Amino acid sequence: MLDDRKLAVLRAVVEDYVSTNEPVGSKALAERHNLGVSPATVRNDMAVLEEQGYIAQPHTSAGRVPTDKGYRLFVDRLSQIKPLSAAERRAIETFLAGAVDLDDVVTRTVRLLAQLTRQVAVVQYPSLTRSTVRHVELVPLSERRIMLVLITNTGRVEQRVVDLPDMVEDDRIAHLRAVLNACLDGCALSRVPETVADLHERLPEDDRPMAGTITSVLLDTLVDRHDEKIVFAGTANLTADFTVGLRDVLEALEEQVVLMRLLGEASDSSVTVRIGSENPYSGLHGTSIVAAGYGSGDNELARLGVLGPTRMDYPVTMGAVRAVARYVGQILAGS
């Protein structure tokens, strides 16, 4: 266990290294921080921190840099999430509130996160499997063809053209639309199959072939889809911090399965931080990922976060991720 003084020295090392990107020496720490002890005492404390693996000497200079273990202790015990200013909160709310649909929300969110943190921002689209049905629309296109439109509570819109087995009048389509919405409104997509299983019993016999075709399309192409989509922005921010290993990071960003696993492993909406070697992918051992879930109430719909070097400003980054996730959840809940 480290005493309070050594914890204060570690905090100072992390803050100075994040700020300057230069190894930190004991004399500089004593001069820049009000530690209340001499440079010699700071040097002794740094020696203990190095022996216990919290800081390391990158080369023969006198300076030290934090290790992954040091950053982890900093995040867990020493840092406080930095709240955004009132002006920043207003700017976020105004920018996101201008979105016109789900795609626009996600696009604005990923751009905003990249700008706030100067890192790579990653946003996962709300999963269909976690959504509920808000509305089903059947739009006649011709006598034997309709457009099936499914709108979820997250604002996601899925549509398919359906070829019907027979010619169907508009009033029969309107009746089926009403029956579908009566039984599916608010229904979790995972429960749609069982909900529509007895749908034919609520319809006249002549309408059952049409209903069977439409529900088949609904189940096969909308509900049973397990695709997940992730978008990211701000890759240019990586060039300032990765003189080596940049190619590995860029390759990892292109593998959406990798990003999905990194964002999706946490099970609640709290801010989570994965530092350096805690990432299971060797190409990301020089990076940290700060992520949070977003959604409506306790219903987490998806996750968002940022990826950057382990030498990141964790309190600021965690504050930005938490605030943006909260605002996105509020927008989706009110959409």
Side-chain angles (χ1 to χ4, degrees), residues 155-280:
R156 189 163 178 169
V157 179
E158 297 288 336
Q159 56 189 32
R160 294 291 182 276
V161 173
V162 182
D163 290 315
L164 301 176
D166 300 296
M167 294 173 54
V168 180
E169 297 82 5
D170 289 353
D171 59 339
R172 293 168 62 193
I173 293 175
H175 177 63
L176 177 57
R177 180 194 304 124
V179 172
L180 280 171
N181 281 294
C183 67
L184 292 180
D185 181 31
C187 177
L189 292 191
S190 59
R191 296 188 56 217
V192 168
E194 63 185 81
T195 305
V196 300
D198 61 349
L199 182 68
H200 65 283
E201 297 178 0
R202 312 183 195 185
L203 298 170
E205 189 171 346
D206 290 345
D207 288 346
R208 292 178 183 179
M210 170 185 65
T213 300
I214 292 173
T215 56
S216 178
V217 172
L218 180 69
L219 298 178
D220 292 344
T221 65
L222 298 181
V223 178
D224 288 340
R225 289 175 52 190
H226 298 288
D227 65 317
E228 302 285 356
K229 185 178 178 182
I230 285 184
V231 295
F232 58 88
T235 51
N237 294 326
L238 293 171
T239 58
D241 291 285
F242 288 92
T243 53
V244 295
L246 178 59
R247 180 173 179 174
D248 290 337
V249 176
L250 292 175
E251 288 179 351
L253 287 172
E254 292 177 357
E255 294 291 336
Q256 297 220 353
V257 173
V258 172
L259 294 179
M260 207 173 303
R261 288 174 180 169
L262 292 173
L263 286 179
E265 288 181 358
S267 59
D268 56 44
S269 59
S270 60
V271 177
T272 58
V273 182
R274 187 182 293 275
I275 299 171
S277 56
E278 296 171 2
N279 295 313

Side-chain angles (χ1 to χ4, degrees), residues 273-276 279 284 286-290 306-310 312 314:
V273 182
R274 187 182 293 275
I275 299 171
N279 295 313
L284 296 178
T287 69
S288 289
I289 296 171
V290 179
V306 299
L307 179 147
T310 52
M312 72 165 60
Y314 290 97

Side-chain angles (χ1 to χ4, degrees), residues 18-87:
V18 168
S19 175
T20 67
N21 198 21
E22 295 290 340
V24 183
S26 57
K27 182 179 179 182
L29 278 187
E31 292 173 349
R32 284 197 288 257
H33 298 269
N34 184 25
L35 297 173
V37 294
S38 67
T41 300
V42 174
R43 188 161 53 249
N44 291 335
D45 287 342
M46 291 178 70
V48 174
L49 291 170
E50 183 176 9
E51 181 181 347
Q52 297 190 15
Y54 294 103
I55 59 177
Q57 187 176 28
H59 43 75
T60 55
S61 72
R64 301 295 188 274
V65 300
T67 62
D68 291 351
K69 181 179 178 181
Y71 283 125
R72 170 49 63 193
L73 184 60
F74 176 80
V75 169
D76 289 347
R77 293 188 55 188
L78 302 177
S79 67
Q80 292 183 335
I81 296 179
K82 183 180 178 181
L84 299 185
S85 67

Side-chain angles (χ1 to χ4, degrees), residues 82-190:
K82 183 180 178 181
L84 299 185
S85 67
E88 288 173 324
R89 292 196 301 270
R90 284 195 300 270
I92 291 174
E93 188 172 10
T94 301
F95 184 67
L96 293 181
V100 297
D101 55 24
L102 179 62
D103 288 334
D104 198 14
V105 170
V106 172
T107 300
R108 287 171 180 251
T109 299
V110 76
R111 286 170 49 203
L112 178 65
L113 263 181
Q115 292 170 1
L116 286 174
T117 63
R118 303 295 181 189
Q119 312 291 356
V120 178
V122 185
V123 178
Q124 178 186 16
Y125 267 77
S127 170
L128 278 176
T129 57
R130 301 179 191 175
S131 304
T132 60
V133 177
R134 173 168 289 175
H135 184 70
V136 177
E137 186 60 53
L138 303 177
V139 182
L141 301 177
S142 67
E143 291 179 331
R144 296 185 59 172
R145 176 174 287 187
I146 66 166
M147 175 74 76
L148 168 64
V149 183
L150 173 69
I151 304 173
T152 73
N153 64 318
T154 61
R156 189 163 178 169
V157 179
E158 297 288 336
Q159 56 189 32
R160 294 291 182 276
V161 173
V162 182
D163 290 315
L164 301 176
D166 300 296
M167 294 173 54
V168 180
E169 297 82 5
D170 289 353
D171 59 339
R172 293 168 62 193
I173 293 175
H175 177 63
L176 177 57
R177 180 194 304 124
V179 172
L180 280 171
N181 281 294
C183 67
L184 292 180
D185 181 31
C187 177
L189 292 191
S190 59

